[in-house]
Amino acid sequence: MGADTAALQLTGRTAVVTGAGAGLGRAEAKALAGAGARVVVNDVGEGAHACAAEIAESGGEAVAVVGDVGEWGLGARLVDTAVQRFGRLDVVVNNAGVLRDRMLFNLTEQDWDDVLRVHLKGHAAVSRAAAAHWRAASKSAGAPVDGCVVNTSSEAFLFGSAGQPNYAAAKAGITALTLATSQGLARYGVRANAICPRARTAMTDATFGADPSDGETDIMAPERVAEFVRYLASPAAAGISGQVFVVYGRMVALLAPPSVEEQFTADEDAFTAEEFAAKVTPHFAGRDPGRTFAAHALAELDTTGV
């Protein structure tokens, strides 16, 4: 059964997309514009202007705001630009990020700070500004607004990628921020979801390599992920919030929350170390050392070959 096409349109709505000068963010901005949204395109360099120009050339409306989302005040500037230029804000897509891949023993303070600042602080800065705007708008109208946040997490936080302790930690924080955003803004009519995408971009060259598709549609094309972001931003997804999706290729996987594997209970009022040893230690006897909280089974979803 086909979806209502009108429910997938974003005509009259305004979106902010960070990291939209290239790669996934660029594809997301263009997908939203293609559905009718007016877009505030953000990036640290001139790519923001190039993306805005591409949208305009295709008949859409866009404005570029150059700046670093790791600077807290940029969040307010992006929201203000959306409202002043287009009269409203409806969608925020937090995408901007950087990589400083290191094993933990090689990680420098700067490596840590750079990644946490752009990814996690950047998400928080833009989300906070949007949240303040939507809360005020809802109170002024005396009714919920129809706001949407799409955050960019990663399977790295689920796998605990050994060479990305900073990136994995940032993405875990983004997932928690998404849940807090969903719960904290629901009363004002705002929903928030996170995606864990895989896409072939300049940032992922070392991971996915060059496009091997030889003219066919690349299975790792960022446009595939962008189409899902367009859907999440649309009225068709109005009932979806507080969710985490793995997105790439021909697949979208909805993740379930963690479950309790085993519960240990003290015989008396409180555990002693001896009782822990008697009850907890046997549970791990002979256990596969790879069986941890890391969700390695998700790797089995990958049928792309990259």
Side-chain angles (χ1 to χ4, degrees), residues 93 104 109 112 117 137 217 233 243 292 303:
V93 179
L104 185 58
E109 182 178 8
W112 176 267
R117 183 182 63 82
T217 302
Q243 307 299 330
T292 67
T303 59

Side-chain angles (χ1 to χ4, degrees), residues 95-306:
N95 167 75
V98 297
L99 290 177
R100 300 288 186 272
D101 290 354
R102 303 284 188 274
M103 296 295 289
L104 185 58
F105 41 77
N106 288 327
L107 189 70
T108 68
E109 182 178 8
Q110 195 66 55
D111 294 332
W112 176 267
D113 288 348
D114 286 348
V115 170
L116 270 291
R117 183 182 63 82
V118 177
H119 284 278
L120 184 53
K121 184 180 178 182
H123 272 64
V126 181
S127 295
R128 191 223 72 87
H133 168 76
W134 282 323
R135 178 174 179 265
S138 176
K139 288 193 169 188
S140 176
V145 298
D146 184 11
C148 170
V149 177
V150 179
N151 288 334
T152 308
S153 185
S154 169
E155 291 168 280
F157 98 90
L158 296 163
F159 298 156
S161 302
Q164 297 181 307
N166 45 3
Y167 183 75
K171 293 306 188 180
I174 286 169
T175 303
L177 174 64
T178 304
L179 299 179
T181 302
S182 174
Q183 294 185 57
L185 299 186
R187 70 182 69 179
Y188 305 115
V190 178
R191 52 199 174 83
N193 296 287
I195 61 170
C196 299
R198 295 188 195 179
R200 199 184 312 278
T201 67
M203 198 170 85
T204 61
D205 273 349
T207 303
F208 299 132
D211 178 5
S213 57
D214 193 26
E216 298 179 4
T217 302
D218 183 3
I219 194 68
M220 302 299 287
E223 287 76 14
R224 294 175 181 266
V225 177
E227 191 70 8
F228 185 63
V229 170
R230 171 202 165 177
Y231 161 72
L232 284 180
S234 76
I240 303 173
S241 190
Q243 307 299 330
V244 180
F245 298 90
V246 176
V247 187
Y248 60 86
R250 298 172 59 195
M251 182 213 72
V252 173
L254 171 63
L255 300 187
S259 60
V260 176
E261 177 185 326
E262 186 69 30
Q263 182 173 325
F264 306 96
T265 306
D267 291 336
E268 303 298 337
D269 180 59
F271 265 110
T272 64
E274 290 77 12
E275 191 176 7
F276 280 130
K279 291 189 173 183
V280 179
T281 299
H283 183 75
F284 291 90
R287 187 186 182 95
D288 178 356
R291 185 182 171 190
T292 67
F293 191 75
H296 294 298
L298 286 178
E300 297 174 5
L301 293 171
D302 190 0
T303 59
T304 66
V306 295

Side-chain angles (χ1 to χ4, degrees), residues 10 12 27 38-39 45 50 59 69 79 90 94 157 159 194 215 222 225 267 272 294:
L10 298 171
R38 299 161 299 189
V39 187
V69 293
V79 172
D90 304 278
N94 285 308
F157 98 90
F159 298 156
V225 177
D267 291 336
T272 64

